[in-house]
């Protein structure tokens, strides 16, 4: 059993042990939520900052993880189960946070698209995008309108609006063996890292991204990591398609109040031993997108050179864990 707990101090373990005595009350609250109101007492979260990598003095290198109450997680699961299976909303190009879709399947689809194009003697390139603070930038009004479009309407939409709005958070931190916390502040935008519904809401938010350029690229998404594979046998059309994709992405991201992390967004042209790299400069909002010779996709390092029609894939290994 997990010992995680939110601001009310009631751990998941205590809640599970209490189920025989409180299940009828929880059921009653779940039924009342059909009126479109999420309990206000469950809208408070505590934020712990999780260090990712890089400079520890740079706040952007930390991910805010929300610690919610155990009761909130129960009601979130109810909403999740009813929303996730509604009309098979999520597009096939999205592989992130979905049951039965593994990272291996993402890698297979990516590699298969590249190899198929190379086998047809086509030019192949990939635009590998990384969204900056994606969860934190989700606009709730846009999200709710998209849910309405997908058929999550009426009381269901009202309930999700109630869940998203009027939320409060405070930040917890440790320093010199002492614990500190901020004042409670309102949450004005974004979905919660660490929540059950946060990942689903984000997937719905970017769900229509693959549809903006279906004819000139093969998009593959793993949550916010977006790979656009572009193929064409003609040199000039190939360059035109790449620039067209960047323009379309730029327009879509701006309309959704999202931005690219240019330090982690790259272009890579895939080659065989008999092909040559083209001279191509790609920019995004007057900033150059780096052209690289290999990239790491979900633990796999994919190299620029393909010998025959066999792409060089190497399992990413942290050399510090191995002793020669």
């Amino acid at each position: 059993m997990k010992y995680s707990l939110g601001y009310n101090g009631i751990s998941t373990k205590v809640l599970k042990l209490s189920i025989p005595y409180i299940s009828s009350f929880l059921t009653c609250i779940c039924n009342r939520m059909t009126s479109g109101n999420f309990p206000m007492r469950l809208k408070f979260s505590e934020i712990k900052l999780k260090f990712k990598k890089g400079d520890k003095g740079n706040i952007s290198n930390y991910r805010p993880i929300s610690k919610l109450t155990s009761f909130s997680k129960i009601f979130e699961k109810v909403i999740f189960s009813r929303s996730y299976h509604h009309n098979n909303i999520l597009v096939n190009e999205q592989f992130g946070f979905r049951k039965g879709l593994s990272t291996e399947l993402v890698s297979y689809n990516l590699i298969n698209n590249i190899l198929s194009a190379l086998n047809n003697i086509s030019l192949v390139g990939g635009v590998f995008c990384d969204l900056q603070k994606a969860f934190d930038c989700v606009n709730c009004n846009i999200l709710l309108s998209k849910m309405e479009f997908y058929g999550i309407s009426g009381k269901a939409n009202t309930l999700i609006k109630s869940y998203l709005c009027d939320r409060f958070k405070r930040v917890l931190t440790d320093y010199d063996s002492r614990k500190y916390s901020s004042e409670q502040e309102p949450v004005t935008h974004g979905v919660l890292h660490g929540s059950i519904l946060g990942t689903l809401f984000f997937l719905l938010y970017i769900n229509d991204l693959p549809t903006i350029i279906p004819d000139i690229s093969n998009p593959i998404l793993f949550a916010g990591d977006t790979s656009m594979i572009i193929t064409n046998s003609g040199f000039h059309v190939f360059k035109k398609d790449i620039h067209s994709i960047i323009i379309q992405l730029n327009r879509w991201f701006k309309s959704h109040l999202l931005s690219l992390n240019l330090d982690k967004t790259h272009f890579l042209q895939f080659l065989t031993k008999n092909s040559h790299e083209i001279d191509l400069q790609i920019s995004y909002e007057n900033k150059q997108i780096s052209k690289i010779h290999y990239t790491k996709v979900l633990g796999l390092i994919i190299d620029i050179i393909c010998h025959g029609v066999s792409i060089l894939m190497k399992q990413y290994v942290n050399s510090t864990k191995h002793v020669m």
Side-chain angles (χ1 to χ4, degrees), residues 124-128 227-230 238 242 266-270:
V124 189
V127 178
F128 297 91
S227 304
M228 297 285 182
I229 304 301
I230 307 100
F238 180 67
I242 293 173
H266 313 289
F267 172 77
L268 193 159
Q269 183 189 354
F270 299 99

Side-chain angles (χ1 to χ4, degrees), residues 10-36:
I10 301 175
S11 69
T12 307
K13 180 180 179 180
V14 170
L15 184 60
K16 287 183 177 180
L17 292 173
S18 305
I19 284 297
Y21 310 101
I22 63 174
S23 59
S24 59
F25 297 102
L26 294 177
T27 302
C28 180
I29 296 174
C30 282
N31 291 334
R32 287 186 177 182
M33 286 197 305
T34 57
S35 64

Side-chain angles (χ1 to χ4, degrees), residues 221-287:
L221 284 69
F222 193 89
D225 295 331
T226 304
S227 304
M228 297 285 182
I229 304 301
I230 307 100
T231 65
N232 201 288
S233 57
F235 170 73
H236 294 291
V237 177
F238 180 67
K239 292 178 67 174
K240 181 181 177 182
D241 286 348
I242 293 173
H243 285 291
S244 176
I245 285 172
I246 296 299
I247 292 171
Q248 293 285 356
L249 286 175
N250 185 22
R251 186 178 300 158
W252 190 92
F253 288 141
K254 279 189 172 182
S255 68
H256 288 74
L257 307 180
L258 299 173
S259 58
L260 282 178
N261 183 349
L262 291 178
D263 292 333
K264 297 180 180 180
T265 296
H266 313 289
F267 172 77
L268 193 159
Q269 183 189 354
F270 299 99
L271 306 172
T272 67
K273 62 181 180 180
N274 298 320
S275 59
H276 302 284
E277 193 172 0
I278 64 175
D279 183 20
L280 182 64
Q281 302 296 322
I282 304 174
S283 61
Y284 176 85
E285 293 193 331
N286 299 319
K287 295 181 180 179

Side-chain angles (χ1 to χ4, degrees), residues 25-291:
F25 297 102
L26 294 177
T27 302
C28 180
I29 296 174
C30 282
N31 291 334
R32 287 186 177 182
M33 286 197 305
T34 57
S35 64
N37 291 308
F38 192 82
M40 187 64 199
R41 295 290 294 177
L42 303 183
K43 295 184 182 183
F44 293 84
S45 59
E46 295 181 332
I47 308 297
K48 291 283 288 185
L49 298 179
K50 182 179 179 181
F51 178 67
K52 295 184 288 186
K53 62 180 179 179
D55 180 11
K56 288 190 175 182
N58 187 346
I59 192 64
S60 64
N61 291 328
Y62 291 81
R63 177 179 290 116
I65 304 298
S66 299
K67 296 175 65 179
L68 304 171
T69 68
S70 303
F71 290 101
S72 177
K73 294 175 183 177
I74 290 176
F75 303 132
E76 282 191 50
K77 283 188 175 181
V78 174
I79 299 173
F80 180 94
S81 63
R82 295 180 181 179
S83 302
Y84 183 83
H85 299 290
H86 181 78
N87 292 340
N88 295 317
I89 296 172
L90 297 178
V91 293
N92 294 330
E93 292 87 353
Q94 177 62 260
F95 293 85
F97 305 115
R98 299 182 66 182
K99 187 176 181 180
L101 299 182
S102 63
T103 55
E104 289 80 6
L105 187 58
V106 182
S107 301
Y108 170 80
N109 277 269
L110 181 64
I111 300 306
N112 185 58
N113 287 339
I114 297 169
L115 290 178
S116 297
L118 289 172
N119 197 39
N120 291 327
I121 321 298
S122 295
L123 293 168
V124 189
V127 178
F128 297 91
C129 306
D130 184 82
L131 295 177
Q132 191 168 14
K133 303 294 182 184
F135 275 49
D136 303 322
C137 295
V138 169
N139 180 278
C140 294
N141 290 327
I142 295 176
L143 174 61
L144 289 168
S145 66
K146 288 196 172 195
M147 289 185 171
E148 187 84 31
F149 175 78
Y150 291 131
I152 303 176
S153 56
K155 292 295 185 181
N157 194 276
T158 303
L159 174 60
I160 292 173
K161 181 178 181 180
S162 175
Y163 170 86
L164 292 169
C165 297
D166 301 319
R167 299 195 72 94
F168 291 85
K169 64 182 178 182
R170 67 174 180 175
V171 179
L172 305 180
T173 186
D174 300 327
Y175 180 74
D176 197 21
S177 301
R178 298 183 65 182
K179 297 182 181 295
Y180 299 88
S181 64
S182 69
E183 296 294 326
Q184 292 281 2
E185 296 288 342
V187 179
T188 57
H189 55 273
V191 292
L192 303 180
H193 286 277
S195 66
I196 293 171
L197 287 171
T199 53
L200 175 61
F201 288 166
F202 179 73
L203 296 187
L204 290 172
Y205 194 73
I206 64 170
N207 195 50
D208 61 317
L209 175 57
T211 66
I212 65 171
I213 38 179
D215 298 327
I216 58 176
S217 76
N218 294 310
I220 296 177
L221 284 69
F222 193 89
D225 295 331
T226 304
S227 304
M228 297 285 182
I229 304 301
I230 307 100
T231 65
N232 201 288
S233 57
F235 170 73
H236 294 291
V237 177
F238 180 67
K239 292 178 67 174
K240 181 181 177 182
D241 286 348
I242 293 173
H243 285 291
S244 176
I245 285 172
I246 296 299
I247 292 171
Q248 293 285 356
L249 286 175
N250 185 22
R251 186 178 300 158
W252 190 92
F253 288 141
K254 279 189 172 182
S255 68
H256 288 74
L257 307 180
L258 299 173
S259 58
L260 282 178
N261 183 349
L262 291 178
D263 292 333
K264 297 180 180 180
T265 296
H266 313 289
F267 172 77
L268 193 159
Q269 183 189 354
F270 299 99
L271 306 172
T272 67
K273 62 181 180 180
N274 298 320
S275 59
H276 302 284
E277 193 172 0
I278 64 175
D279 183 20
L280 182 64
Q281 302 296 322
I282 304 174
S283 61
Y284 176 85
E285 293 193 331
N286 299 319
K287 295 181 180 179
Q288 202 72 21
I289 292 179
S290 61
K291 192 175 181 181

